Amino acid sequence: SGERLNLILWNQSSVYRASRQYRHPAYYREIGPPAPECVSYTHDRDFGVFKDYPKGKETFRRRGWCPPAAAEYAGFRSDHPE
């Protein structure tokens, strides 16, 4: 009978956004493919490998940025090869 609640707090810092840490974040190589329930059509370059784009959201193909090329797991396949 549990109930899950989430509080999302958005914040903005011009000092942080001007920092090297924000502009050039450290990404580490992913150890393997993501679990299908964890992929996002708004962020993941390989979303279409794991799921079909939701109806009306096909325009998100080619907009993903994650993972950056240097952080791709072995065998990574983009859903929109270039």
Side-chain angles (χ1 to χ4, degrees), residues 44-64:
D44 293 305
R45 295 171 36 229
D46 54 355
F47 179 86
V49 172
F50 300 97
K51 295 181 175 183
D52 293 328
Y53 280 82
K55 185 176 172 81
K57 302 298 182 184
E58 299 85 357
T59 58
F60 281 90
R61 188 182 307 271
R62 291 193 156 88
R63 290 176 149 181

Side-chain angles (χ1 to χ4, degrees), residues 29-43:
R29 181 168 302 280
E30 296 181 346
I31 60 172
E37 63 270 15
C38 294
V39 294
S40 165
Y41 67 83
T42 61
H43 293 87

